[in-house]
């Protein structure tokens, strides 16, 4: 069996849907192939995670029947529904029948907004790439702030928290794998691993403290992100031993 | 009452004691010899074209790669006990040696590699612990990555893409920066020293957030800006034809004129 064949069958193998004979072939291949074993472990972990999350959701006793009932109810009520136009007030009380001055003002307003958006877009597009890296304490652009205000973009804090959660989940996963494999390492390997992990944790603590005092320090945020990625990579590489 | 004197047997049998001492000495010598013979050697040569790529993933030990003017790759290694399994593979112009995969779940000793490659080769070396040295390589790619501890030394390098990354340890690069090239050096704790020609042309982002020790030397000019309270230097040297990114989380960065 090739790795491609094995990886194609992994999902069914983990679900227990595979016939006995093919299941045995997959097990035999996994025993000999480290790459497929890692993939199998990863896939299992993802499935376990998904199943754990499913527990919290409320599942109706018979979802198909419930959905059918809702569907019937909607269909039965549709013809009876008489559309009621809401009473118009203010500027749009006469529909789109605007006066000449109102239409002119609207056109000017649209032109101004689109010009502003175009200028902001062009400035962002043509900004030299190095400048992005150099923005350590610069405030976000007006455009970005507007998007955040209306909820179309994540605030830096929201984005950071989301990213940290993802990184922490990955670190937890690799850390568990390291703990299971660690027993087979020699003393030199263990000591080197611990020293490096300590250094990374020190860096993470430093940046976290800086960010607590100055949440807008983009350079520390970038470095913290980098340090967490390094931690993840260190754990991942040592877990493969 | 009869009391048996201490070491009475030895005192009463001096000849047998001498034999026992001799036997112990012989046994000690035999075991020592076994330890010495446990250090094995691996040697293999591969025919190679101009654009051969060498990919080595080691667990622990030193790796030395040197460019030479022969169209072949020579791999020699000394293996400390318990000896690792080495099974090189050649796939689509790449010589792949993966000791992590080949020895998964086993405890193995250091493997010290000495590799010769054609000058125009691409070299991709990775290890968990140990020093990496690459010299006289002028191919498309030079990548040296140490997951934890070890120094990286790259000398006489002229490649379009150079990446050196380690945890605890120094990085030294002595080479050319080619137009359109991409150069990246990153360390957790150690010194990063870059020795490049004054005729180099690059866009630079150098970051040393903890020490703020970024010494540009001869490469300091009006186009370089210190940002974030001196934690980062951003700028352009010459026409800025290549990209240079240097990050040292808890160490220093120095530029030396070649």
């Amino acid at each position: 069996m090739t790795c491609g064949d094995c990886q194609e069958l992994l999902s069914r193998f983990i679900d227990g849907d595979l016939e006995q004979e093919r299941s045995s072939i997959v097990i035999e291949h996994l025993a000999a192939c480290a790459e497929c074993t890692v993939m199998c472990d990863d896939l299992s972990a993802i499935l376990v995670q998904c199943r754990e999350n499913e527990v919290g959701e409320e599942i109706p006793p018979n979802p198909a029947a419930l959905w059918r009932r809702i569907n019937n109810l909607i269909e039965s009520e549709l013809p009876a529904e008489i559309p009621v136009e809401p009473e118009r007030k203010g500027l749009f009380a006469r529909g789109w029948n605007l006066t000449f001055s109102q239409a002119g003002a609207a056109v000017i307003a649209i032109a101004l907004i689109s010009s502003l958006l175009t200028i902001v877009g062009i400035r962002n597009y043509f900004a030299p790439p190095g400048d992005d890296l150099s923005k350590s304490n610069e405030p976000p652009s007006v455009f970005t702030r507007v998007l955040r205000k209306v909820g179309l973009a994540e605030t830096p804090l929201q984005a950071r928290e989301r990213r940290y959660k993802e990184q922490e989940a990955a670190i937890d996963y690799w850390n568990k794998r390291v703990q299971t494999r660690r027993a087979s390492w020699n003393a030199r390997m263990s000591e080197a691993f611990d020293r490096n992990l300590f250094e990374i944790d020190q860096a993470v603590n430093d940046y976290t403290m800086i960010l607590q005092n100055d949440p807008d320090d983009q350079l520390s945020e970038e470095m913290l992100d980098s340090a967490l990625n390094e931690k993840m990579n260190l754990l991942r590489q040592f877990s493969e031993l | 009452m009869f009391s048996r004197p201490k070491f009475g047997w030895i005192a009463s049998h001096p000849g047998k004691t001498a034999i026992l001492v001799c036997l112990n000495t012989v046994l000690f010598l035999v075991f020592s010899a076994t330890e010495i013979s446990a250090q094995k050697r691996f040697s293999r040569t591969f025919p190679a074209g101009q654009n051969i790529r060498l990919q080595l993933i080691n667990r622990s030990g030193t790796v030395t790669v040197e460019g030479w003017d022969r169209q072949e790759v020579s791999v020699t290694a000394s293996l400390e006990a318990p000896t690792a399994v080495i099974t090189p593979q050649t796939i689509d112009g790449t010589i792949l040696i993966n000791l992590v995969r080949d020895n998964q779940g086993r405890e193995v000793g250091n493997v010290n590699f000495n590799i010769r490659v054609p000058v125009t080769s691409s070299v991709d070396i990775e290890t968990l612990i140990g020093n990496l040295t690459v010299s006289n390589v002028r191919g498309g790619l030079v990548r040296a990555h140490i997951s934890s501890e070890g120094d990286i030394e790259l000398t006489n390098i002229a490649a379009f893409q150079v990446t050196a990354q380690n945890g605890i340890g120094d990085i030294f690069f002595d080479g050319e920066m080619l137009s359109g090239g991409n150069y990246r050096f990153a360390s957790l704790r150690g010194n990063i020293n870059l020795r490049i020609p004054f005729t180099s042309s690059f866009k630079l982002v150098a970051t040393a957030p903890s020490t703020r020790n970024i010494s540009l030397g001869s490469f300091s000019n009006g186009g370089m800006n210190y940002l974030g309270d001196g934690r980062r230097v951003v700028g352009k040297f010459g026409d800025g034809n290549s990209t240079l990114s240097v990050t040292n989380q808890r160490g220093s960065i120095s530029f030396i004129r070649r």
Side-chain angles (χ1 to χ4, degrees):
Chain A
M1 172 179 269
T2 63
C3 289
D5 296 337
C6 177
Q7 284 160 19
E8 217 165 275
L9 296 172
L10 273 183
S11 176
R12 287 176 59 200
F13 171 70
I14 292 163
D15 290 339
D17 291 343
L18 218 55
E19 309 86 71
Q20 185 65 38
E21 193 184 341
R22 294 175 90 184
S23 188
S24 307
I25 298 168
V26 170
I27 290 167
E28 202 177 306
H29 181 82
L30 288 177
C33 177
E35 195 182 326
C36 290
T37 310
V38 169
M39 188 168 281
C40 182
D41 288 351
D42 290 351
L43 198 57
S44 304
I46 291 164
L47 289 171
V48 167
Q49 189 76 27
C50 292
R51 281 171 195 147
E52 278 171 4
N53 290 342
E54 273 174 12
V55 175
E57 291 170 14
E58 282 201 13
I59 303 162
N62 187 344
L66 182 64
W67 174 242
R68 193 78 218 146
R69 282 209 301 278
I70 292 166
N71 206 24
N72 289 341
L73 200 66
I74 292 166
E75 279 175 2
S76 64
E77 283 182 5
L78 265 180
E81 198 177 313
I82 300 159
V84 179
E85 273 195 33
E87 194 184 333
R88 288 174 176 167
K89 286 178 182 176
L91 185 68
F92 299 105
R94 289 168 294 151
W96 286 101
N97 299 330
L98 302 175
T99 64
F100 184 73
S101 57
Q102 283 172 335
V107 167
I108 290 167
I110 290 166
L112 273 173
I113 291 166
S114 57
S115 306
L116 187 70
L117 290 174
T118 309
I119 290 165
V120 171
I122 288 170
R123 278 186 59 185
N124 285 345
Y125 184 78
F126 287 103
D131 285 3
D132 289 339
L133 295 163
S134 65
K135 284 177 187 169
S136 57
N137 285 312
E138 281 181 26
S141 65
V142 177
F143 185 59
T144 313
R145 273 185 289 179
V146 168
L147 286 178
R148 283 174 187 165
K149 281 275 181 201
V150 297
L152 289 173
E154 282 180 322
T155 63
L157 194 67
Q158 285 170 334
R160 197 187 302 156
E161 279 172 0
R162 179 182 51 78
R163 213 167 45 248
Y164 293 164
K165 274 183 187 167
E166 286 168 5
Q167 284 169 324
E168 274 170 16
I171 286 168
D172 278 350
Y173 170 75
W174 291 113
N175 203 15
K176 279 174 193 159
R177 283 182 69 106
V178 162
Q179 297 312 322
T180 58
R181 306 253 172 157
R182 202 184 162 117
S184 65
W185 303 352
N186 58 31
R188 190 182 168 220
M189 199 72 93
S190 292
E191 284 162 14
F193 173 81
D194 289 339
R195 272 194 295 271
N196 275 266
L197 202 62
F198 176 76
E199 283 293 332
I200 294 173
D201 284 338
Q202 288 276 80
V204 168
N205 287 342
D206 289 351
Y207 301 133
T208 308
M209 279 176 69
I210 293 169
L211 283 167
Q212 277 170 358
N213 295 328
D214 181 7
D216 293 328
D217 186 356
Q218 288 187 7
L219 199 146
S220 291
E221 190 183 334
E222 188 192 314
M223 289 294 115
L224 176 59
D225 197 39
S226 165
L228 288 171
N229 278 334
E230 277 179 32
K231 183 172 181 175
M232 202 161 64
N233 285 330
L234 181 78
L235 289 164
R236 184 177 57 78
Q237 280 157 354
F238 274 77
S239 75
E240 286 171 2
L241 287 175
Chain B
M1 188 92 176
F2 174 77
S3 69
R4 199 172 175 174
K6 215 178 182 184
F7 309 116
W9 188 84
I10 293 172
S12 59
H13 300 87
K16 287 181 179 174
T17 309
I19 290 166
L20 268 178
V21 169
C22 287
L23 199 64
N24 281 339
T25 312
V26 169
L27 280 173
F28 172 76
L29 288 172
V30 166
F31 279 112
S32 304
T34 313
E35 280 294 310
I36 291 161
S37 69
Q39 184 157 14
K40 291 184 178 169
R41 281 188 74 78
F42 171 91
S43 181
R44 201 159 156 193
T45 305
F46 303 86
Q50 288 283 328
N51 299 317
I52 189 83
R53 179 187 163 102
L54 170 77
Q55 190 178 354
L56 169 64
I57 303 169
N58 197 11
R59 282 172 60 133
S60 64
T62 59
V63 179
T64 305
V65 180
E66 198 180 347
W68 67 358
D69 54 6
R70 289 195 213 165
Q71 290 306 304
E72 58 184 21
V73 174
S74 156
V75 180
T76 56
S78 67
L79 293 80
E80 293 173 12
T83 52
V85 173
I86 305 177
T87 49
Q89 288 175 295
T90 309
I91 310 162
D92 297 333
T94 299
I95 296 169
L96 171 65
I97 304 169
N98 188 342
L99 269 78
V100 172
R101 185 197 58 196
D102 294 344
N103 298 277
Q104 201 165 38
R106 294 179 58 220
E107 189 189 333
V108 296
N110 285 349
V111 181
N112 303 310
F113 280 96
N114 209 323
I115 302 173
R116 300 280 185 99
V117 294
V119 172
T120 52
S121 306
S122 286
V123 176
D124 184 348
I125 312 292
E126 207 174 309
T127 190
L128 290 170
I129 310 172
N131 298 341
L132 301 183
T133 306
V134 182
S135 59
N136 302 330
V137 173
R138 312 180 81 79
L141 164 91
V142 172
R143 178 175 172 266
H145 184 273
I146 304 171
S147 305
S148 62
E149 294 177 357
D151 298 335
I152 297 175
E153 196 177 302
L154 309 176
T155 49
N156 198 15
I157 304 294
F160 277 98
Q161 195 173 341
V162 177
T163 308
Q165 185 174 4
N166 64 1
I168 301 172
D170 297 338
I171 295 176
F172 177 68
F173 173 78
D174 181 351
E176 293 168 31
M177 298 185 68
L178 307 180
S179 178
N182 198 327
Y183 302 86
R184 187 173 165 269
F185 304 93
S187 179
L188 187 59
R189 199 189 73 191
N191 302 309
I192 300 180
N193 293 304
L194 307 176
R195 188 166 174 264
I196 51 176
F198 193 66
T199 51
S200 303
S201 162
F202 55 87
K203 283 197 282 283
L204 170 72
V205 179
T207 315
S210 183
T211 63
R212 296 163 199 232
N213 189 346
I214 304 171
S215 165
L216 296 175
S218 307
F219 298 92
S220 179
N221 64 21
M224 296 291 180
N225 300 306
Y226 280 80
L227 304 168
D229 301 327
R231 290 177 293 169
R232 171 172 278 175
V233 177
V234 177
K236 198 161 82 168
F237 190 81
D239 293 332
N241 289 329
S242 55
T243 311
L244 174 58
S245 164
V246 194
T247 306
N248 203 341
Q249 299 266 9
R250 299 165 77 78
S252 66
I253 298 168
S254 298
F255 285 78
I256 306 155
R257 185 177 171 165
R258 201 182 188 195

